[in-house]
C-alpha cells in the first residue's frame, strides 16, 4: 500500500500530512480531521485498510500544535480560526478540490464550523463521528454522565471544578475512570501499533482551546455553537456515535434530526472511537457511504 508523507508550510511552522493509497475511478479522497484539539492523526491509521479495500485515497494530517506539527508556547494560535485556515490551506496545497470530509470529536467541530460558517465548495459528503454541534451541549451531557460515577468521584470532580485545582489524586482517579468508561480503554501490547507508538500530544492546544478536561469547556472554543445552522447543511451527512460515547445518543440524534440529508449509525457497545473498537463494521460502513455519495 502506497503511503506518501510530507509537510506543508503553515504560518512560520509546518503541517505534517500523510496520504494513503491511490485514487481509482471516480472515487473522491476521504480527508480525516482528528480530535483534541491537540491529538494527532495516529489513531486514524486503523483505517488505512479502507484505502486498499476501496481503491480510495485517504488524507490525514497532524493539526498545528501536535504530533509532527508540534508547536508550543503559542497560546495565541489555539483558536478555531487557526485550524480553519490550516484546513483551507491543506486543501489548496494538495489540490483536494472534491472530497469527502470526516471529523471525529473536535475534528467534527472543525468540520461543522468550516461547513456552516465558510460554505466551502467540493464536499461530496460529511461524516460526523462522535462529535458535537455546541460546546454547552457537550458540557451538559458530560455532567449528566458524571452522576453515574461513585459519589466520592463525583465529589472530587466537583471540588476540582470549583477550585480550578486539578492536581488532587482523587480528581485524577475520577477523571481516569470517567474517560475509561466513555473515551477509550487502556493501550496495551495488543492494541494497534498506531495507538502504542509514542506521540507528542498538544497539551497547550487542548487546554487553551477547550479546557482542563472534557466536561469544562472554558477555552477559546467555549462559545462554539452551530445548532441554528445545522438546518442549512446541504451535503449528505452521516452521523456516527457509540452507545457509551462522550458523544451521547442525545447529541448524535440532535444533529441527525436537524441536518436535512442525514443518516445516523449508532455503534451500541462502543465508546468515543468507534473506528477502533468496531473497526470491521466502521470500514464497511465507510465503503457503503462513500461509494453511495461519490
Amino acid at each position: 500500500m502506497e503511503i506518501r508523507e510530507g509537510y506543508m508550510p503553515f504560518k512560520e511552522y509546518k503541517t505534517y500530512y500523510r496520504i494513503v493509497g491511490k485514487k481509482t475511478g471516480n472515487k473522491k479522497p476521504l480527508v480525516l480531521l482528528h480530535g483534541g484539539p491537540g491529538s494527532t492523526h495516529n489513531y486514524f491509521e486503523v483505517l488505512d485498510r479502507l484505502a486498499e479495500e476501496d481503491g480510495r485515497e485517504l488524507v490525514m494530517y497532524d493539526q498545528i500544535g501536535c504530533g509532527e506539527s508540534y508547536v508550543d508556547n503559542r497560546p495565541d494560535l489555539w483558536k478555531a480560526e487557526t485550524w480553519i485556515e490550516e484546513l483551507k490551506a491543506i486543501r489548496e496545497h494538495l489540490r483536494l478540490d472534491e472530497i469527502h470530509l470526516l471529523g471525529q470529536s473536535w475534528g467534527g467541530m472543525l468540520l461543522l464550523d468550516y461547513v456552516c460558517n465558510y460554505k466551502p465548495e467540493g464536499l461530496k459528503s460529511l461524516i460526523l463521528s462522535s462529535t458535537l454541534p455546541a460546546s454547552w451541549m457537550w458540557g451538559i451531557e458530560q455532567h449528566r454522565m458524571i452522576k453515574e460515577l461513585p459519589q466520592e468521584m463525583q465529589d472530587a470532580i466537583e471540588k476540582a471544578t470549583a477550585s480550578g485545582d486539578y492536581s488532587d489524586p482523587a480528581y485524577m482517579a475520577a477523571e481516569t475512570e470517567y474517560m475509561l468508561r466513555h473515551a477509550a480503554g487502556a493501550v496495551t501490547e495488543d492494541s494497534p501499533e498506531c495507538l502504542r507508538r509514542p506521540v507528542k500530544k498538544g497539551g497547550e492546544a487542548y487546554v487553551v482551546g477547550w479546557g482542563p478536561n472534557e466536561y469544562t469547556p472554558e477555552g477559546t472554543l467555549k462559545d462554539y455553537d452551530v445548532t441554528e445552522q445545522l438546518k442549512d447543511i446541504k451535503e449528505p451527512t452521516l452521523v456516527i456515535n457509540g452507545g457509551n460515547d462522550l458523544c451521547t445518543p442525545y447529541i448524535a440524534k440532535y444533529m441527525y434530526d436537524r441536518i436535512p440529508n442525514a443518516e445516523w449509525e449508532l455503534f451500541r457497545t462502543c465508546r468515543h472511537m468507534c473506528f477502533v473498537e468496531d473497526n470491521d463494521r466502521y470500514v464497511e460502513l465507510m465503503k457503503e457511504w462513500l461509494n453511495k455519495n461519490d
Side-chain angles (χ1 to χ4, degrees):
M1 181 162 48
E2 182 174 321
I3 298 175
R4 289 165 284 154
E5 299 173 284
Y7 289 90
M8 172 190 74
F10 183 65
K11 298 187 179 292
E12 62 266 49
Y13 305 108
K14 58 185 182 180
T15 295
Y16 165 85
Y17 62 83
R18 179 178 182 270
I19 304 172
V20 185
K22 288 183 177 180
K23 178 182 176 183
T24 62
N26 194 42
K27 293 174 186 270
K28 304 301 187 291
L30 173 63
V31 177
L32 301 143
L33 305 177
H34 68 67
S39 290
T40 68
H41 82 278
N42 290 25
Y43 61 179
F44 281 143
E45 292 183 26
V46 301
L47 296 175
D48 282 1
R49 53 180 283 211
L50 175 62
E52 193 164 37
E53 293 175 22
D54 196 40
R56 185 184 304 276
E57 269 188 350
L58 304 188
V59 180
M60 51 195 82
Y61 65 99
D62 286 345
Q63 296 158 22
I64 195 73
C66 68
E68 297 299 319
S69 310
Y70 187 79
V71 174
D72 65 1
N73 295 316
R74 283 298 308 269
D76 56 301
L77 287 179
W78 314 134
K79 54 189 178 181
E81 292 80 4
T82 298
W83 290 300
I84 291 281
E85 184 184 342
E86 183 182 39
L87 173 54
K88 288 179 177 179
I90 207 147
R91 281 193 71 185
E92 184 175 345
H93 184 76
L94 297 176
R95 299 178 182 174
L96 297 167
D97 299 326
E98 287 192 306
I99 62 170
H100 300 276
L101 189 58
L102 182 154
Q104 192 266 345
S105 196
W106 144 251
M109 296 170 64
L110 176 59
L111 183 160
L112 285 169
D113 189 359
Y114 179 55
V115 169
C116 292
N117 294 317
Y118 297 85
K119 310 294 184 189
E121 298 292 321
L123 301 182
K124 301 298 287 185
S125 80
L126 312 175
I127 298 115
L128 300 173
S129 193
S130 299
T131 191
L132 56 147
S135 297
W136 61 262
M137 186 183 299
W138 194 260
I140 287 170
E141 280 292 270
Q142 305 318 304
H143 281 282
R144 180 180 63 78
M145 293 195 294
I146 285 170
K147 291 182 172 63
E148 299 168 2
L149 292 172
Q151 187 61 50
E152 64 272 17
M153 290 188 171
Q154 295 182 46
D155 294 344
I157 289 172
E158 184 177 353
K159 178 184 173 186
T161 304
S163 68
D165 179 5
Y166 298 97
S167 62
D168 187 337
Y171 162 76
M172 291 189 280
E175 161 77 355
T176 298
E177 175 63 21
Y178 185 79
M179 296 300 279
L180 185 63
R181 291 186 183 197
H182 301 294
V187 175
T188 71
E189 60 183 19
D190 297 321
S191 300
E193 185 277 332
C194 62
L195 300 184
R196 289 184 278 114
R197 188 186 315 150
V199 62
K200 199 150 190 175
K201 297 279 188 181
E204 182 182 270
Y206 181 84
V207 171
V208 174
W210 181 256
N213 52 44
E214 283 301 307
Y215 30 84
T216 315
E218 60 185 22
T220 60
L221 302 171
K222 68 180 184 300
D223 295 324
Y224 160 81
D225 185 345
V226 297
T227 51
E228 293 302 314
Q229 295 149 280
L230 296 176
K231 66 183 185 304
D232 301 321
I233 293 175
K234 303 289 193 295
E235 293 83 2
T237 302
L238 177 60
V239 178
I240 298 170
N241 81 306
N244 299 313
D245 201 333
L246 295 166
C247 171
T248 62
Y250 171 79
I251 297 174
K253 187 175 187 298
Y254 188 99
M255 295 186 287
Y256 166 69
D257 284 345
R258 288 160 178 79
I259 297 172
N261 190 9
E263 296 182 22
W264 176 23
E265 192 75 20
L266 175 62
F267 284 66
R268 184 178 65 85
T269 62
C270 288
R271 289 166 287 187
H272 198 45
M273 298 192 296
C274 302
F275 53 94
V276 173
E277 295 193 338
D278 197 346
N279 185 253
D280 289 344
R281 181 179 166 202
Y282 200 99
V283 167
E284 289 306 311
L285 178 63
M286 286 299 100
K287 288 181 199 170
E288 178 186 341
W289 175 260
L290 296 170
N291 285 289
K292 181 168 68 175
N293 290 291
D294 274 323

